[in-house]
Structure formats: structure tokens, C-alpha cells
Amino acid sequence: MHSKLQVRVRNIIEETSTIKRFTLEANDHSMLPYFSGGSHITTFLPYPSGTLERQYSIFNISPESGLFEIAVHLADGSTGGSRFWHQNVQVGDVLSVSYPKNYFPLSFQAKRHVFYAAGIGITPFLSMMAELAEKKSSFELHYAAKSKEQCGFYDYISKTYPHQCHFYFSNGDGAKRLLPTQLLNHRIGTHVYFCGPENLIQDFTTAAKSYGYPSFNIHAERFAPPQKKEQQAFQVKIKRSGKQLDIPVNSSLLEVLLQHGINVPFSCRAGGCGTCEVRVVKGQIDHYDSFLTEEEQRSNHMMLSCVSRGKGRLVLDL
Amino acid sequence: MISHFSLPYPFSDSNVYKYSNNAALLHTKNAIELTDRYLDEISLKRELLTKHPERCYHSSPHTMAAQWEIVDLIINNLVTYYPDKFELEKKDGQWIFSNLLTKETASFKFGDRTTLEIEPLDFIGRHVQEDLILMMQRDGDLILDAGQLCFPANWSLYFNSEMNFKEIHSPIPGFQSDFLVDRILQFLMRIEAGTPWERKNWSLMAGSRLDSSLETFSEWGQARKRVTKENAGELVHFRVEVQKLFRLPKSNGILFTIHSHMLSLEKFIQHTPWLEQFYAILRELPKAIYDYKGISLYREQVLDYLEAELKKR
């Protein structure tokens, strides 16, 4: 359902030995859309086995507007997106990406914004700091890396935000660690934002809550998991009538329900509006919608019948 | 001559109307639509804005960047979809926008408030028939932070300014009690750039005023008492709002454009399937909904009129 943009790789810069920065421009030479601080895009990578979807935070620290930039860290033993970007993508290549989306927006009411990043977790903060600097809002950055050499965008950040940035290098002499106790130094009205490995997010979130930060003031970046694209046939049982229905590979649950006179209200038929939601009593759901929250999807109690499917057999509360 | 063909029809297959998120993907990604009423409605809008700025325009100071984004989006739509009516020339950040229908040309520096006489949203709203509402997404909520509203169907921009989505919609029957309000808010906050949506809303109006604001209810509300079976076809108008929803990617706000269409019942029912369906819907409409829509005083008279017309077919 969602529109895509065609982009061309204009430039590739090695920021560190494991981080590459890709500058993307519109393939038709127009300007790429604007985006708000904390936004990301989905990139659609052509794999022999099908398209691989990967999300990356976007920023634009180049001197020109109308471009997207992403930074990709080559993870050890990666077989997925980061390896593809590092080994297969060349200047001039054309790729599909989504429009910018923002699941990690800046708080409007924050008096001060404090960012905690480790490693490649710096990327959403590049666009957030740019937005705050433009608005002349108050912020600071705490950024941990193994060493100065392994610290992506070290030169750019220390030059652009000399009074707002604090670096923590864990290797070598005079190693300095980034600890959650740093959270004790912020004033009331501060919003804190975490991005990095899962254990950093958890440690800092737990610490912030224990220090008395309202959960409203704590933000962390999490990307939606990549979606599977291969659809399977499945069965449903209607709880009230006991009727059993087969949903073939090429039909949606909504279509089959309507064919059998079960009038589920619907509107967009694309997993976006939430109208055709049905309650699920039993069975495992494969969610393909962009409407339910992750929590709601995980609860396994509801699904959008226009796009989502069952694994095996579902019992519907209808 | 305005016929039923010019009216966007708001009902789906069902003969029972209830509130739902009846949004659908907008395939032609145009926020704006020009009709043959363009010049009349533009001049009415401008007159209202001049005489009653306090009820037709509002903006919070932090919306300026989003307002420019709206100018960018709407001008782009106008020159893309109506290239024979609107022109745009860009020179070193200077924009020269020409409206060939009103024979006006505006020159301004994009992003520089001082180069326009009025705020950007107010400026561009005066070139389109749509009302323009900006909801900013702030701290997990949607707030009505700016709007240019000349043709409200019985609501007040002044009253609703800086309210959140739930507060604005709290008078709608059943909206609070079930999950609908949360579901629709969730839907709106997930609207993505590049994927705009559209929904239609309907009501009846005794009279044919587009500017039926809450502030002027005493001027137009009285007509409800004058509706009879005999005059309903001429006096009562069927009103459709086409609402389009766009994510503004830079400010992360949402632009609602509202195009109000109106047609007298006698023209509306010329198309027999519409007459049949609307009669069925109005007959089954729950009291809470027709009370809310302001139809209670003359619903019986309209039903009598529609029934008599049905018998003639």
C-alpha cells in the first residue's frame, strides 16, 4: 500500500573501519522529502531470495538539502542488510526506499533534551540535534564508543556541537565509561533518549525509572521487525456458529468472511485504518498491518482481517 | 446547473449508518479540488476572513515551519494538477506564485514570514475552496494548532483551538464509550508521508449557508423550524465534507483539508438509488446521531418528503 521512492547512491564515505555513510539522492533529480528529527526509512534490498526490508535512521549532514543519508555498521557475521550495504552497494546504484517515518520523535514539551548513544546508535540523534540546533533548543549528547577511531562522526559532532557533546571511550589509557548514574545530573523537565545495544537501552531505562524519571520523559529507539512476505493458506473457525472456513493463499481473511455473509466492517483493505479488526480467541497470527501497536500485535488477541493471516488455524470471536 | 453528479457520495453499500473510521487511501495525491464554484467560494472566504478573522483563523506561534510546509504542499498540488490555472516560478529562494483565475501574483521568499503580508497558512488558504486544519503531533497526541476555517458545519475553530483530538470529538455520540476514538487517533498518528487518506462526512442543513459556524447559529439555526414536507426539497441541503489527510514530514504534523459540497435535497434525490438509500439510512439513524447532527427538529418532515418522492418513482 505504501508509496516508495527511487533513490540513487550518490556517495559512500567510510566513517570508521566498520561504518559506511551512504548519501542518497532522488533518482529523478527532484528533492527527496523533508523529515523530522528521529525519522527513519525502510530500504528494500534486492536479494536473490526476495526483497529484504531494513530500517535505518536518516539524517543529512551534507551541505546540500533534499538528500537522505544513512550510516550502516557492518555487524560481525552479518548475513543481512548491513553486509549487503557494505559489500554490494556501489555509487550509482538505484534502490527503493520508503518515505520518512518517525517513531522516535522529539518531545514537544521537554525543557531540555539529553541523548545517550552507543556505537551506531548515534544515527537518530544526528537529525534530532540538527532540528534542535535550528530551533535553538537546549540539548546535550553522551556518546560511547570503543575508541576515537571507532567513533562514527566524531569530527563532525565535536566541530558542530562543541559545547553539547561528551564522549566516552572504553579502550586504551584513560578509559572512560558511560554509566547510567550520569542520569542523576539532569534537571526536572529533561527528556532522555536512548539508542544503542538492547542492554544499554534496558540498563538506562531501568536506572532512569529508579531515579524518578516519569516514563513519559524516557524515549528509546526501536525499529519494527522486518516483515515476512510469503503468504500461506490457513483456516479459521467462527466461534458463534462453529463454521469452518479455508483461506486460500491468494485471498484475504476479510474477503472470505464477506463471501460467507459475515459482514465485518472495512474501509482501506490495506492494513492501515483499523476498521476490519477482528478478535482472535485462539491460534497464532502473522501480522502484516501497519496499524496495531507492537504490543497489540504481540498480544495475539486481535488482527486486521484485510491483510493479516493465521499460522495454521485461528478461532475468531465472531 | 449543479446536478447530483457534482456531489461526492458519502455512503457505502450498507443501509445502516454508524460512526466508523471510513477512511480510504487517496490515490490521486491531491489535497485540493477545484469546482465550478471556485471564484464564488474564494471571494466568500476572503470576505469572511476580513470581517471575522477571530473565528476564521487561528495559529499557535510554533506552527510557522509547518505552515510553510503546507504552502509548499498546496502550491505543488495546484501547479501539478491544474497547470493551466496556477503557475510557480522559483528563483534563488524567491517564489512567484500566479493564480490565473483570480489574476493575482504573489512574490515571497520561501520560509521568510516577513515577505508575506499574512501568515503562510492564511495566505494559501485564500486560493483554495478547502478549509485547512493543522494538527501537530506532540508528545503522543494530536493538537489543533492552526486552522483557516470559513465553512464549518456547526463547529467553532475558536472554541476548539489547541484542544487535542479526543477533546474536539467528545460531543460525538458513542465516541468516548467504545474504543473508536482511540482507534481513530491511533490511525491518524500512523499516517505516513507519501500515503495520504480521504474520508467523507455528511450532514443535513436547513438552508444553504456554507459558513454555518457555531458563532452564527442564531442566524441560520432558525431555518430548521421552517422545514415542511412541502418545502424540504428546496430548503434542506445535503452536505458532504471531503476530508483529506496528509502527513507533513518535516514538522511531523497532519494537514486536514476539508472541502464542503452542498446540494438541495430535490437535486440530490434525482438519482433514485441515492433517494432509496438515503431514505433507508435516515429512517434507521439512531436518535443520538441525528440529535448530534442537528436534524431532530425536521427529520420527520424530511422523511415524509422522501417517502412521497419514493412513491412517485
Side-chain angles (χ1 to χ4, degrees):
Chain A
M1 77 184 256
H2 295 291
S3 311
K4 289 179 189 173
L5 298 161
Q6 294 294 310
V7 296
R8 192 181 150 273
V9 179
R10 177 195 279 199
N11 201 10
I12 303 175
I13 296 172
E14 276 197 38
E15 294 290 338
T16 73
S17 60
T18 56
I19 298 174
K20 281 186 180 179
R21 161 153 68 117
F22 298 85
T23 305
L24 310 175
E25 62 186 3
N27 194 36
D28 62 2
H29 305 292
S30 63
M31 303 248 290
L32 287 172
Y34 294 111
F35 51 89
S36 50
S39 293
H40 70 273
I41 51 172
T42 301
T43 62
F44 302 91
L45 306 173
Y47 254 57
S49 53
T51 306
L52 193 66
E53 296 186 16
R54 287 290 181 269
Q55 283 84 23
Y56 299 97
S57 294
I58 46 172
F59 51 89
N60 183 4
I61 59 175
S62 80
E64 202 179 317
S65 56
L67 304 173
F68 292 164
E69 293 189 296
I70 63 170
V72 183
H73 174 243
L74 182 61
D76 287 338
S78 161
T79 51
S82 65
R83 188 181 159 124
F84 185 89
W85 277 101
H86 272 255
Q87 297 184 355
N88 297 45
V89 176
Q90 308 290 333
V91 169
D93 285 359
V94 173
L95 291 161
S96 294
V97 304
S98 72
Y99 276 72
K101 304 173 219 196
N102 198 344
Y103 298 163
F104 195 38
L106 288 161
S107 162
F108 180 80
Q109 62 169 34
K111 299 276 181 278
R112 185 170 172 81
H113 306 264
V114 182
F115 304 117
Y116 286 87
I120 195 66
I122 189 63
T123 53
F125 300 139
L126 293 172
S127 63
M128 291 164 110
M129 291 192 292
E131 181 173 327
L132 292 173
E134 196 185 318
K135 290 180 175 162
K136 300 189 168 55
S137 300
S138 157
F139 69 93
E140 69 188 67
L141 168 72
H142 298 268
Y143 180 11
K146 289 201 177 88
S147 64
K148 197 189 272 190
E149 294 69 37
Q150 294 289 304
C151 179
F153 306 99
Y154 175 81
D155 289 339
Y156 168 79
I157 292 168
S158 39
K159 205 156 78 187
T160 315
Y161 309 112
H163 305 297
Q164 289 103 330
C165 61
H166 308 272
F167 294 96
Y168 303 80
F169 301 126
S170 52
N171 284 358
D173 301 335
K176 199 161 97 181
R177 292 197 78 85
L178 176 58
L179 297 171
T181 47
Q182 176 64 34
L183 291 162
L184 290 165
N185 300 334
H186 309 311
R187 295 184 178 202
I188 285 174
T190 297
H191 279 238
V192 290
Y193 303 78
F194 309 134
C195 189
E198 188 58 33
N199 60 352
L200 171 126
I201 293 179
Q202 276 177 14
D203 291 351
F204 276 71
T205 302
T206 309
K209 284 183 180 160
S210 75
Y211 298 151
Y213 281 79
S215 38
F216 188 74
N217 291 34
I218 305 169
H219 310 266
E221 170 75 317
R222 283 193 175 82
F223 285 133
Q227 292 191 343
K228 279 182 283 173
K229 284 295 159 209
E230 268 171 51
Q231 301 199 339
Q232 307 283 341
F234 65 105
Q235 297 85 42
V236 295
K237 183 180 165 185
I238 308 301
K239 193 175 142 199
R240 253 165 264 171
S241 65
K243 211 186 268 181
Q244 309 260 2
L245 303 174
D246 285 313
I247 293 86
V249 174
N250 49 5
S251 296
S252 71
L253 172 58
L254 176 67
E255 286 164 351
V256 175
L257 291 172
L258 295 173
Q259 279 160 17
H260 287 81
I262 301 163
N263 286 319
V264 176
F266 63 91
S267 182
C268 79
R269 288 178 174 257
C273 74
T275 307
C276 68
E277 177 180 329
V278 292
R279 298 264 151 186
V280 178
V281 195
K282 227 169 115 182
Q284 289 291 314
I285 307 160
D286 263 337
H287 293 282
Y288 291 94
D289 66 283
S290 53
F291 177 80
L292 297 173
T293 62
E294 268 181 62
E295 211 167 59
E296 288 165 340
Q297 291 191 345
R298 272 200 305 268
S299 79
N300 215 42
H301 289 324
M302 60 196 88
M303 67 190 289
L304 298 194
S305 57
C306 65
V307 291
S308 295
R309 310 185 67 83
K311 291 179 196 162
R313 203 177 78 138
L314 299 175
V315 181
L316 304 181
D317 191 3
L318 282 170
Chain B
M1 181 69 185
I2 300 170
S3 79
H4 74 268
F5 295 112
S6 63
L7 190 82
Y9 190 63
F11 302 119
S12 61
D13 298 340
S14 171
N15 278 358
V16 179
Y17 178 79
K18 59 174 193 172
Y19 285 111
S20 67
N21 179 13
N22 57 343
L25 286 168
L26 180 61
H27 293 291
T28 304
K29 295 174 183 178
N30 183 8
I32 301 304
E33 192 192 344
L34 266 65
T35 68
D36 53 7
R37 308 269 311 135
Y38 179 77
L39 286 173
D40 291 340
E41 290 183 7
I42 294 293
S43 77
L44 175 56
K45 261 185 121 175
R46 294 180 182 193
E47 187 190 323
L48 287 162
L49 283 159
T50 306
K51 287 188 183 158
H52 309 286
E54 71 295 337
R55 73 165 195 250
C56 295
Y57 189 77
H58 162 83
S59 73
S60 301
H62 61 261
T63 59
M64 207 47 70
Q67 289 194 34
W68 282 109
E69 243 188 308
I70 294 171
V71 169
D72 186 12
L73 186 149
I74 290 182
I75 290 188
N76 251 307
N77 283 179
L78 289 174
V79 300
T80 304
Y81 294 101
Y82 303 100
D84 52 330
K85 300 184 174 76
F86 301 92
E87 290 171 356
L88 176 69
E89 205 184 320
K90 292 184 192 175
K91 260 191 283 184
D92 314 324
Q94 193 74 17
W95 287 32
I96 301 157
F97 170 65
S98 302
N99 181 336
L100 307 181
L101 294 170
T102 59
K103 301 182 178 66
E104 292 167 304
T105 294
S107 177
F108 54 88
K109 188 163 176 274
F110 187 82
D112 184 348
R113 166 69 187 86
T114 62
T115 60
L116 279 175
E117 278 174 32
I118 48 179
E119 290 194 353
L121 177 65
D122 197 6
F123 159 74
I124 199 59
R126 290 171 194 239
H127 291 275
V128 297
Q129 288 160 275
E130 280 77 5
D131 287 315
L132 306 175
I133 301 294
L134 169 65
M135 303 283 293
M136 292 295 280
Q137 192 158 327
R138 311 200 224 139
D139 297 304
D141 204 350
L142 283 175
I143 315 286
L144 200 173
D145 268 336
Q148 189 197 61
L149 181 75
C150 295
F151 304 145
N154 199 10
W155 65 287
S156 163
L157 176 67
Y158 183 81
F159 183 72
N160 284 349
S161 284
E162 287 167 56
M163 284 191 187
N164 69 21
F165 181 80
K166 284 190 188 181
E167 289 162 345
I168 292 168
H169 293 88
S170 59
I172 297 180
F175 216 71
Q176 300 279 12
S177 56
D178 53 35
F179 293 108
L180 192 59
V181 66
D182 293 308
R183 277 293 183 250
I184 294 183
L185 179 61
Q186 188 169 339
F187 160 72
L188 293 170
M189 293 204 296
R190 278 162 183 268
I191 288 180
E192 295 178 359
T195 307
W197 293 77
E198 171 181 50
R199 69 180 290 268
K200 297 186 190 88
N201 196 11
W202 70 277
S203 61
L204 287 185
M205 164 96 197
S208 61
R209 272 178 75 136
L210 275 173
D211 56 320
S212 44
S213 64
L214 214 44
E215 288 89 337
T216 56
F217 181 78
S218 61
E219 294 166 26
W220 53 268
Q222 294 299 317
R224 291 173 177 178
K225 296 176 186 164
R226 292 201 304 273
V227 179
T228 63
K229 180 185 169 187
E230 288 68 34
N231 70 13
E234 203 183 340
L235 177 59
V236 176
H237 284 68
F238 192 84
R239 187 172 171 139
V240 179
E241 286 184 355
V242 177
Q243 305 175 353
K244 296 180 182 177
L245 306 161
F246 284 74
R247 170 73 68 185
L248 303 168
K250 186 165 189 226
S251 57
N252 207 27
I254 298 217
L255 169 69
F256 283 63
T257 70
I258 307 170
H259 196 130
S260 296
H261 301 261
M262 203 142 52
L263 196 64
S264 64
L265 272 189
E266 60 186 8
K267 284 178 183 154
F268 178 83
I269 61 155
Q270 281 169 6
H271 189 53
T272 306
W274 289 9
L275 167 61
E276 287 168 351
Q277 190 182 25
F278 181 55
Y279 173 70
I281 285 173
L282 188 61
R283 205 182 45 193
E284 298 301 322
L285 202 61
K287 183 174 183 304
I289 297 184
Y290 65 70
D291 278 347
Y292 171 72
K293 285 184 181 280
I295 306 173
S296 310
L297 274 176
Y298 58 102
R299 176 171 163 272
E300 289 300 324
Q301 289 83 336
V302 170
L303 280 173
D304 289 347
Y305 165 74
L306 297 174
E307 208 170 292
E309 288 297 320
L310 268 174
K311 283 183 186 146
K312 292 184 199 164
R313 309 278 157 115

